[in-house]
Amino acid sequence: MITPKDRLINALNGESVDRPPCICPGGMMNMITAEIMHQLGNQWPEAHQNPQAMAGLALGVHRLSGIENLGVPFCMTVEAEAMGAKVNLGNMVTEPRVIDYPLSQMQDWSSLPDFNPETGRMGMVSAAVNILAENRFGLPVIANLTGPISLATSLIEPMTFFKAMGKQAQDVHAFLSFITNNLLVYGKALLKAGAQVITIADPSATGEILGPRRFSEFALPYLNLLLEGLKDDSEASMVHICGQLHSIFPELNQLKTGAISIDSATSVAKLKTALFDKIIVGNVSTQLLQNGQPLQIKASALNCLNKGATVLSPACGISTLTPLSNLKAMVDAVHEFNYQNSGERGND
């Protein structure tokens, strides 16, 4: 019988599977809710700084909801903190966030420190990955990286960064090269610790902000350097970009990954017609997951699959107020879809 790990890796690589996987990768798309933390007796913000607690939450999500992966960390601030950003770790219902940028002007990027994946929260995440890699449930372990554009906008005020694309393009490219080289070091450390799949979340690289020309110049090359640099150590990868992506559909075909994760602002059906050979991951509305009823969640999830999503996932990071029953309903959809499309495997 196929394991969840093999199912996800095969699906992300465009190979045949018995049914769609249902995942919540972690990182920006973390899967932790207040209800889950209460049931497990394992809570934020302590779990952000404790490898055992971090791993325990990821395992607990699978046990309570049926989501078919293990993913850490539960935020997008680990890399920024390692480069000098001040981070508020939040509380039980709010994720960590950057509260002070280490840079005030673009040309000062060379003052930033390089990553040391063995120290600080990076070391804690690597240790959590190592714990999760020893799970006995055949679950894939997903390591999450913040994309180059999004990390840049966690190190300097975003409008300063975006304006510099026009006036200081050379500095922006040097800054993004520095970031990407460090992300490669961290990504390799996570894979060495036992992760099998890499997810790069780059919400600030959306076409709504950059447009096709700047996406091609400033986002695509560095995402591809990262993907190419990690491909020999990982079994599969995906890239998540937020927002309405229609303006960069052609550019998405140039990403050197087998799978693209999208939020609910982008139509699965329209993206599928624009992609040549990419798998679509997504895109159940997180607002619906928080506020809807289980039957609505299941119907929406089935619609995502029927429109062409190969891997089912929330469209973005879920609210900590999302009911556990709604996460279970999303998971139920992949089994019901399997039943609809292959009667003999309906109870798999």
Side-chain angles (χ1 to χ4, degrees), residues 22-63:
C22 182
I23 67 169
C24 196
M28 185 196 79
M29 301 172 69
N30 96 80
M31 70 292 282
I32 308 303
T33 69
E35 186 176 355
I36 286 171
M37 287 188 273
H38 276 303
Q39 289 201 31
L40 295 175
N42 184 354
Q43 300 177 354
W44 293 350
E46 292 80 10
H48 297 305
Q49 296 183 297
N50 183 308
Q52 289 76 22
M54 194 183 302
L57 277 181
L59 280 163
V61 169
H62 164 72
R63 179 168 59 83

Side-chain angles (χ1 to χ4, degrees), residues 315-328:
C316 201
I318 62 173
S319 165
T320 55
L321 302 180
T322 300
L324 180 57
S325 58
N326 285 355
L327 295 181
K328 290 179 178 179

Side-chain angles (χ1 to χ4, degrees), residues 298-310:
K298 186 183 290 187
S300 177
L302 287 170
N303 183 58
C304 292
L305 295 169
N306 284 315
K307 293 291 186 182
T310 298

Side-chain angles (χ1 to χ4, degrees), residues 189-201:
L190 295 175
L191 291 165
K192 185 178 180 181
Q196 301 95 25
V197 177
I198 282 284
T199 293
I200 303 169

Side-chain angles (χ1 to χ4, degrees), residues 94-173:
T94 61
E95 296 177 19
R97 64 192 185 279
V98 171
I99 57 173
D100 191 27
Y101 304 115
L103 296 178
S104 59
Q105 51 188 4
M106 181 59 57
Q107 58 267 32
D108 292 340
W109 65 265
S110 59
S111 66
L112 296 174
D114 286 312
F115 288 162
N116 183 344
E118 297 180 0
T119 63
R121 278 204 293 150
M122 283 191 168
M124 296 173 195
V125 175
S126 293
V129 166
N130 190 250
I131 294 168
L132 293 171
E134 298 177 359
N135 82 86
R136 300 179 182 179
F137 308 105
L139 296 167
V141 179
I142 298 179
N144 289 270
L145 296 177
T146 302
I149 297 288
S150 298
L151 179 51
T153 57
S154 294
L155 297 169
I156 190 169
E157 203 282 326
M159 286 310 301
T160 300
F161 175 74
F162 291 126
K163 286 179 181 178
M165 288 180 173
K167 298 180 178 180
Q168 297 173 267
Q170 187 173 352
D171 284 327
V172 172
H173 281 296

Side-chain angles (χ1 to χ4, degrees), residues 198-279:
I198 282 284
T199 293
I200 303 169
D202 212 349
S204 296
T206 177
E208 289 182 295
I209 296 175
L210 299 182
R213 182 178 65 81
R214 285 188 170 176
F215 182 87
S216 292
E217 181 178 355
F218 295 105
L220 186 62
Y222 300 102
L223 285 168
N224 280 343
L225 281 171
L226 199 48
L227 291 161
E228 284 286 287
L230 297 174
K231 71 176 183 179
D232 290 340
D233 298 303
S234 62
E235 297 184 51
S237 67
M238 71 182 94
V239 173
H240 178 88
I241 302 177
C242 287
Q244 172 53 259
L245 302 180
H246 69 279
S247 66
I248 57 170
F249 277 179
E251 289 73 22
L252 294 178
N253 278 301
Q254 300 175 49
L255 280 170
K256 294 182 179 181
T257 181
I260 296 173
S261 169
I262 59 172
D263 79 18
S264 53
T266 294
S267 162
V268 171
K270 290 180 180 179
L271 180 58
K272 191 169 182 65
T273 63
L275 296 180
F276 302 143
D277 58 358
K278 307 271 187 222
I279 295 303

